[in-house]
Amino acid sequence: MRARRPTIKQLNYLLSVAEHRHFGKAAKACHVSQSTLSSALIELEDLLGVPLVERSNRQVILTSLGEDVAELSRRVLLEIDDLQALCAASSEPFKGKMRLGVIPTIAPFVLPGLLNQLRRQYPDFQLFIREDLSAPLVDALQHGHLDVLLLALPYPVNNVATMHLFNDKFLFACAGTHPMAKNTKLSTRGLRSQDLLLLEDGHCLRDHALEACRLHGSEVNIPYQATSLNTIVQMVANGIGVTLLPQMAVDARILTGTDVQTRQFREKNVSRSIGLMWRRKTPRVADFRALGEFIRGC
């Protein structure tokens, strides 16, 4: 007779315990009772013949082997997800569900038009959105919590594939009363003497903007770091400094109600690359490329 094998449910319970390090929280995340989850883990340990979890009144700790089994279980469940996705992808594009991660410097400027077009043309397509910084989105992608990301490239990560969609120019922005507002032949080198307002660390827009202008952080004065482009625009409008804004934000009327002026740089390629990212081994490449082409069309 074929030996009994761990069930998907048991592996999911183990991963939940590995994430939460608490039986009660893990059970709640799995929508089962604590006793159900605990019994399933005991059955899994009996089935494998090894202890996976150290139990105490204060905390839950995975054994060294338990950590290895949890990591392998994560990969097994990803493969099962890909198996289901492979079958779903065999039908026509934009059917079923897709989980999309988007960074904050793209989401408010691209998603409204994109979602409106998708609803009209593909009403049965369910697109679930998560907005976050690049690092947590990439982590969620690699752990199977998201299917595809819309972000600025490049981003350093292994075992992924990417699709360039378009370039998004960086525009110089300053208050209408600023001396550089009348400069029609603006060079990126002129930024070295300016108070440059940028997003805080963790936002890839900051790094891509400096890289596009061939600047190092030590070469510019950054008096303040904001958490959103809207905050930066208001500070620029009040004469606190100058900034770099992505073209898509300006096209989406982020400057409405202000006297902030924008100028293009005379150098070429002062821009960031916008694209999609997915796990290299996913079977849904055709779906993601179709989504990329749809975004380009929008």
Side-chain angles (χ1 to χ4, degrees), residues 17-132:
V17 170
E19 178 181 356
H20 296 283
R21 306 287 164 163
H22 188 280
F23 280 117
K25 293 179 180 178
K28 185 176 181 180
C30 294
H31 307 289
V32 297
S33 67
Q34 184 171 331
S35 60
T36 297
L37 181 138
S38 182
S39 296
L41 285 181
I42 292 174
E43 290 177 3
L44 179 60
E45 290 177 318
D46 290 342
L47 179 62
L48 298 176
V50 293
L52 302 175
V53 180
E54 296 179 11
R55 298 163 175 83
S56 70
N57 293 330
R58 294 185 177 181
Q59 59 183 344
V60 176
I61 302 175
L62 266 64
T63 64
S64 177
L65 184 57
E67 294 284 2
D68 292 339
V69 172
E71 181 57 33
L72 185 56
S73 298
R74 183 175 291 110
R75 297 204 297 269
V76 168
L77 293 175
L78 272 177
E79 293 289 344
I80 292 173
D81 287 343
D82 285 344
L83 182 151
Q84 293 176 311
L86 178 63
C87 296
S90 64
S91 61
E92 60 184 289
F94 301 112
K95 285 285 187 181
K97 301 177 181 179
M98 187 180 293
R99 299 166 299 175
L100 172 68
V102 192
I103 59 175
T105 56
I106 294 179
F109 315 120
V110 170
L111 289 184
L114 172 64
L115 295 178
N116 183 51
Q117 292 279 358
L118 282 173
R119 278 195 297 267
R120 285 196 297 147
Q121 296 186 40
Y122 303 99
D124 296 330
F125 181 52
Q126 294 178 290
L127 185 64
F128 298 94
I129 307 292
R130 173 177 167 183
E131 181 181 336
D132 209 334

Side-chain angles (χ1 to χ4, degrees), residues 15-287:
L15 288 184
S16 187
V17 170
E19 178 181 356
H20 296 283
R21 306 287 164 163
H22 188 280
F23 280 117
K25 293 179 180 178
K28 185 176 181 180
C30 294
H31 307 289
V32 297
S33 67
Q34 184 171 331
S35 60
T36 297
L37 181 138
S38 182
S39 296
L41 285 181
I42 292 174
E43 290 177 3
L44 179 60
E45 290 177 318
D46 290 342
L47 179 62
L48 298 176
V50 293
L52 302 175
V53 180
E54 296 179 11
R55 298 163 175 83
S56 70
N57 293 330
R58 294 185 177 181
Q59 59 183 344
V60 176
I61 302 175
L62 266 64
T63 64
S64 177
L65 184 57
E67 294 284 2
D68 292 339
V69 172
E71 181 57 33
L72 185 56
S73 298
R74 183 175 291 110
R75 297 204 297 269
V76 168
L77 293 175
L78 272 177
E79 293 289 344
I80 292 173
D81 287 343
D82 285 344
L83 182 151
Q84 293 176 311
L86 178 63
C87 296
S90 64
S91 61
E92 60 184 289
F94 301 112
K95 285 285 187 181
K97 301 177 181 179
M98 187 180 293
R99 299 166 299 175
L100 172 68
V102 192
I103 59 175
T105 56
I106 294 179
F109 315 120
V110 170
L111 289 184
L114 172 64
L115 295 178
N116 183 51
Q117 292 279 358
L118 282 173
R119 278 195 297 267
R120 285 196 297 147
Q121 296 186 40
Y122 303 99
D124 296 330
F125 181 52
Q126 294 178 290
L127 185 64
F128 298 94
I129 307 292
R130 173 177 167 183
E131 181 181 336
D132 209 334
L133 300 183
S134 296
L137 288 182
V138 169
D139 184 66
L141 176 72
Q142 293 189 311
H143 283 83
H145 304 311
L146 292 172
D147 301 313
V148 60
L149 307 181
L150 176 60
L151 73 174
L153 300 171
Y155 189 87
V157 60
N158 296 322
N159 300 318
V160 299
T162 60
M163 176 184 181
H164 169 77
L165 300 182
F166 56 88
N167 289 322
D168 183 29
K169 285 185 179 179
F170 283 112
L171 302 177
F172 173 80
C174 64
T177 56
H178 194 278
M180 296 183 72
K182 298 180 181 179
N183 191 341
T184 57
K185 296 182 178 180
L186 187 63
S187 170
T188 56
R189 284 179 291 182
L191 297 176
R192 292 191 174 103
S193 60
Q194 300 298 319
D195 288 335
L196 188 60
L197 304 177
L198 296 173
L199 293 176
E200 64 184 0
D201 289 335
H203 287 270
C204 60
L205 180 70
R206 168 196 177 94
D207 297 330
H208 285 141
L210 290 174
E211 183 179 348
C213 294
R214 298 175 178 82
L215 296 171
H216 299 289
S218 59
E219 295 180 314
V220 292
N221 180 32
I222 305 176
Y224 184 84
Q225 299 179 68
T227 58
S228 74
L229 288 177
N230 284 298
T231 300
I232 286 180
V233 166
Q234 294 306 316
M235 296 179 70
V236 170
N238 283 278
I240 298 175
V242 301
T243 194
L244 299 166
L245 292 177
Q247 179 79 58
M248 66 169 63
V250 176
D251 291 344
R253 303 180 182 276
I254 196 173
L255 301 179
T256 299
T258 74
D259 72 336
V260 174
Q261 304 293 310
T262 61
R263 296 288 183 270
Q264 292 191 27
F265 292 101
R266 65 185 182 188
E267 296 98 334
K268 296 181 179 180
N269 301 321
V270 183
S271 62
R272 59 176 180 165
S273 169
I274 306 300
L276 294 179
M277 176 186 291
W278 57 79
R279 294 186 301 278
R280 189 179 297 279
K281 291 185 178 181
T282 181
R284 302 187 67 182
V285 174
D287 278 353

